[in-house]
Amino acid sequence: MKYNRLLCAGIAVYLLCISSCPTPYTNAQNTSYASPAPTKGRAYYEERGDIVWEVPTHRKLIALTFDDGPDESNTPAILDLLQKYDAKATFFVVGSRVEKLPHLVKREREEGHEVGNHTFLHSSFQYISRNKALSELDQGQTSIVQATGAGTHLFRPPGGSYNDSLVKLSKEKGLKIILWSWHQDTLDWRKPGVHRIADKVLRNARNGDIVLMHDYVHQSTQTVEALKIILPELKKRGYSFVTVSELLSNREKPDGLIEVNK
């Protein structure tokens, strides 16, 4: 009898524990939904030339890229600095901002810089329908054509989000997805301080880097001030600043590269 009472008590405690604790399956579902991962890793897309993070080259070339512009104050200041140091860059522009400041995007092209599509409204591509994604790409492209007279073949998804569907859609639209070197994300949009931005670039500078910065950061000139440090120092080290397309033209084919996206 005593044994039965102990057994019943043990079962009751067990049932209470499992009812008050979520199952591992439930946790896994929640985590997966909150932080979806691409179906394939970087190596898969990189080997096929579907997505570019950086470009293997022995030449001292770096591509500076600026997202989210144009901006009426920061973009002209950045263009002035690039001109001063004979540097070329790539601007991934947001179409809705291009419509408001088309003269700045036109100036970017006229001064030898490259313009890339960064969507029309800077919508996240993590949870987005194909039709919405297509609209974002098409409207972004149209804004660039209207401002400069020509489109672009480069595309950078907001936040760097990508998956198989987006890669396929980009190919259909004749766009190459350009991300950035993982060691060259300046996080300037967080306004970390001028010297932190500059130090991030200078400390990690390597041949073939694609550097991520922003020419539109609300109420911040930190990126502009950091460039005043970055440009002369890297030039002193022998680096040249080129557009993304120029960097791609200097690619040295690494072993194992699968040429399937020409």
Side-chain angles (χ1 to χ4, degrees):
M1 193 65 150
K2 181 178 180 181
Y3 172 78
N4 289 338
R5 285 199 299 270
L6 289 174
L7 180 60
C8 290
I11 293 172
V13 170
Y14 172 75
L15 291 173
L16 179 63
C17 287
I18 64 173
S19 65
S20 62
C21 298
T23 65
Y25 177 72
T26 302
N27 284 341
Q29 281 188 315
N30 290 339
T31 301
S32 176
Y33 181 78
S35 304
T39 54
K40 302 179 182 70
R42 169 173 170 171
Y44 175 87
Y45 297 105
E46 199 164 38
E47 286 173 355
R48 287 157 178 76
D50 291 335
I51 303 177
V52 176
W53 281 265
E54 56 215 3
V55 175
T57 178
H58 290 299
R59 299 188 62 190
K60 301 195 77 170
L61 304 175
I62 285 181
L64 301 177
T65 67
F66 300 91
D67 286 10
D68 296 358
D71 176 77
E72 58 188 352
S73 299
N74 285 342
T75 304
I78 289 171
L79 288 170
D80 289 345
L81 282 169
L82 294 172
Q83 190 172 55
K84 178 179 178 180
Y85 291 100
D86 192 27
K88 303 303 177 190
T90 301
F91 293 83
F92 287 94
V93 297
V94 174
S96 57
R97 298 189 63 81
V98 174
E99 289 187 343
K100 296 175 183 177
L101 300 164
H103 63 286
L104 290 178
V105 183
K106 184 178 180 182
R107 179 185 168 187
E108 289 167 1
R109 277 255 172 94
E110 289 175 344
E111 295 185 3
H113 305 293
E114 192 162 31
V115 176
N117 189 335
H118 198 42
T119 74
F120 187 75
L121 293 173
H122 203 268
S123 300
S124 171
F125 278 71
Q126 283 187 311
Y127 309 108
I128 191 171
S129 69
R130 176 183 168 84
N131 286 341
K132 175 61 175 174
L134 185 61
S135 174
E136 284 288 314
L137 291 177
D138 285 346
Q139 288 188 78
Q141 185 80 294
T142 297
S143 71
I144 294 170
V145 172
Q146 290 177 342
T148 69
T152 180
H153 65 282
L154 302 181
F155 167 57
R156 175 173 285 167
S161 298
Y162 64 89
N163 54 33
D164 283 343
S165 297
L166 182 59
V167 170
K168 182 180 179 181
L169 180 60
S170 299
K171 287 181 179 180
E172 291 174 6
K173 304 303 293 185
L175 294 168
K176 169 82 78 175
I177 297 179
I178 306 295
L179 296 183
W180 55 86
S181 304
W182 285 348
H183 56 278
Q184 287 290 16
D185 182 353
T186 64
L187 300 175
D188 57 347
W189 57 274
R190 292 183 179 175
K191 308 176 189 177
V194 172
H195 289 284
R196 284 195 176 186
I197 296 170
D199 183 62
K200 180 72 173 181
V201 178
L202 297 177
R203 182 164 40 87
N204 296 296
R206 306 173 192 171
N207 298 355
D209 277 353
I210 297 177
V211 180
L212 174 60
M213 291 183 282
H214 296 75
D215 57 326
Y216 172 71
V217 178
H218 184 60
Q219 295 183 341
S220 175
T221 60
Q222 290 184 8
T223 302
V224 175
E225 296 304 313
L227 281 172
K228 294 177 182 178
I229 302 170
I230 293 166
L231 288 166
E233 174 58 28
L234 287 184
K235 191 160 188 178
K236 187 166 66 175
R237 296 183 192 178
Y239 284 99
S240 295
F241 304 98
V242 297
T243 66
V244 166
S245 288
E246 289 173 318
L247 189 62
L248 288 169
S249 70
N250 282 275
R251 172 188 291 274
E252 294 166 11
K253 183 179 176 182
D255 294 337
L257 183 67
I258 305 170
E259 297 285 358
V260 296
N261 186 28
K262 297 181 179 179

